Amino acid sequence: MIVLVDLLVTILDVVYYVLRSTLHLVLPPRTKAVDGELVLITGSGGVLGRLFAREFAKLGAELVLWDRNAATDERTAKLARELGVKAHAYTVDLTERKNIYRTADRVRSEVGRDVTMVINNAGVVAGRRLLECPDDLLERTLLINCHALFWMTKAFLPQMKAQNHGHIVTIASTLGLFSTACVEDYCASKFAAVGFHESLSHELLTEDGLEGVKTTLVCPYLVDTGMFAGCKIRDGMENLLPPLEPNYCVQQAMNAILVDQPLVCIPRITYLPFLSRAMLPWDANVVAYRFLGADKCMYPFIQTMEQRVGNGHANAA
């Protein structure tokens, strides 16, 4: 009898949340204030990182900016300061666990308070076919896109839990929900990022008294930052699914973060291939990929990266 009652309550809850989500498409929920928050952004010297910094600065948040490139990181900090907020730039190698923990301690000591929001934005891709890719590039992708999420969370979540206040944001990718050819390192790392984030979110939800610690998973389609330069789907389909303009991507992500939305796919049409991957046979998805030109969309990108191989660097967000 108890099970039946619980089942009925669960069904009613599911219906309620479906209706609430539908209503939010028409009447968005109230956004939260982030002025006074201490927001840490990784990959802050890149295109998306700088745009996130700008948006949070415009809202009055104090910023902690982490990037491996000191010069570009400082340029982001300067932009934020010009908008009237404090910005603290740190040069950090996210492939080094001890570097993350050591810099986290520096932030607490030098800034004088705990980070309340973490935007895990940094990301890289090797840009090589698997059998032609050096192992160190494969490892680097996994370390930055996946392993660093564990270390960042362990460095900053305890303080959020102690205060029952905080927000962890993971900038993953639609390639963490469905895959394509020739970017095995990136897809593997982003699938791992999605799995990590969802498991962490479930863990926080099971702990009583942590209603103030929020999570948001952001899964954008390919963003026109140069990271996947040359990537191209079938002619005639690009109008349906063009690369995202960086500012649009960040604005949509901010909209989700500011209303504590647990998951957002950008654009919304990318929910469809995610659902088809789960519901349709493998061969049916392969046929759809071929029609869209998504099966070989990374081939031009790989060729572009091969032309840059002389510089010895993987592409970064």
Side-chain angles (χ1 to χ4, degrees):
M1 182 64 181
I2 295 177
V3 173
L4 291 176
V5 172
D6 285 346
L7 176 60
L8 178 60
V9 171
T10 299
I11 292 173
L12 292 175
D13 283 343
V14 169
V15 171
Y16 165 75
Y17 286 117
V18 169
L19 291 175
R20 189 181 72 171
S21 295
T22 304
L23 181 62
H24 285 170
L25 295 176
V26 182
L27 300 173
R30 180 179 300 177
T31 59
K32 66 181 181 182
V34 296
D35 56 304
E37 300 284 357
L38 185 58
V39 181
L40 189 157
I41 303 170
T42 64
S44 49
V47 176
L48 295 185
R50 185 164 296 165
L51 288 171
F52 274 117
R54 184 190 69 180
E55 293 304 313
F56 278 107
K58 286 162 59 177
L59 295 173
E62 185 175 357
L63 301 180
V64 175
L65 306 172
W66 284 18
D67 198 277
R68 62 179 179 168
N69 187 315
T72 57
D73 200 28
E74 186 54 42
R75 283 199 288 272
T76 301
K78 181 180 178 181
L79 171 65
R81 292 172 191 137
E82 290 172 350
L83 291 171
V85 301
K86 294 180 180 179
H88 315 271
Y90 292 84
T91 304
V92 185
D93 182 355
L94 294 180
T95 67
E96 295 288 341
R97 181 182 71 253
K98 292 181 180 179
N99 191 204
I100 289 176
Y101 292 155
R102 185 166 53 248
T103 310
D105 288 338
R106 280 187 59 200
V107 169
R108 279 186 282 271
S109 173
E110 296 173 6
V111 179
R113 62 192 184 107
D114 293 320
V115 167
T116 55
M117 297 183 72
V118 173
I119 315 299
N120 288 303
N121 165 72
V124 297
V125 61
R128 311 276 188 87
R129 291 175 180 269
L130 176 62
L131 298 183
E132 300 169 0
C133 186
D135 290 345
D136 60 335
L137 286 185
L138 293 173
E139 291 175 347
R140 180 171 173 265
T141 301
L142 270 294
L143 287 169
I144 293 175
N145 296 4
C146 172
H147 293 190
L149 300 179
F150 290 82
W151 305 329
M152 292 292 295
T153 301
K154 293 182 73 175
F156 296 105
L157 181 59
Q159 294 76 27
M160 294 182 187
K161 292 176 68 173
Q163 299 172 18
N164 189 25
H165 178 76
H167 200 145
I168 293 179
V169 179
T170 302
I171 310 300
S173 170
T174 53
L175 290 179
L177 302 173
F178 50 87
S179 58
T180 190
C182 296
V183 280
E184 289 88 349
D185 64 316
Y186 190 79
C187 288
S189 68
K190 291 303 185 178
F191 267 79
V194 170
F196 166 81
H197 182 97
E198 290 188 348
S199 181
L200 175 64
S201 300
H202 284 300
E203 178 178 336
L204 293 173
L205 289 171
T206 62
E207 298 188 34
D208 295 331
L210 284 182
E211 294 82 4
V213 181
K214 307 298 184 181
T215 62
T216 298
L217 175 63
V218 182
C219 292
Y221 179 61
L222 301 180
V223 187
D224 190 14
T225 62
M227 185 175 186
F228 287 98
C231 177
K232 181 180 176 61
I233 60 174
R234 179 177 180 174
D235 290 339
M237 293 290 107
E238 288 189 320
N239 291 334
L240 176 66
L241 198 58
L244 298 177
E245 196 276 322
N247 190 61
Y248 171 80
C249 175
V250 170
Q251 288 290 343
Q252 294 301 305
M254 290 295 297
N255 290 343
I257 293 166
L258 295 176
V259 297
D260 297 326
Q261 185 173 331
L263 166 67
V264 59
C265 290
I266 309 170
R268 286 178 179 161
I269 194 173
T270 52
Y271 285 104
L272 294 178
F274 173 47
L275 292 173
S276 72
R277 178 181 180 274
M279 300 176 64
L280 297 179
W282 168 264
D283 290 340
N285 280 296
V286 169
V287 169
Y289 268 47
R290 287 174 179 166
F291 172 75
L292 293 171
D295 58 334
K296 297 182 179 179
C297 65
M298 290 294 173
Y299 281 31
F301 161 65
I302 297 298
Q303 292 173 357
T304 299
M305 290 301 293
E306 287 174 348
Q307 293 172 1
R308 301 177 182 175
V309 70
N311 64 20
H313 295 287
N315 225 6

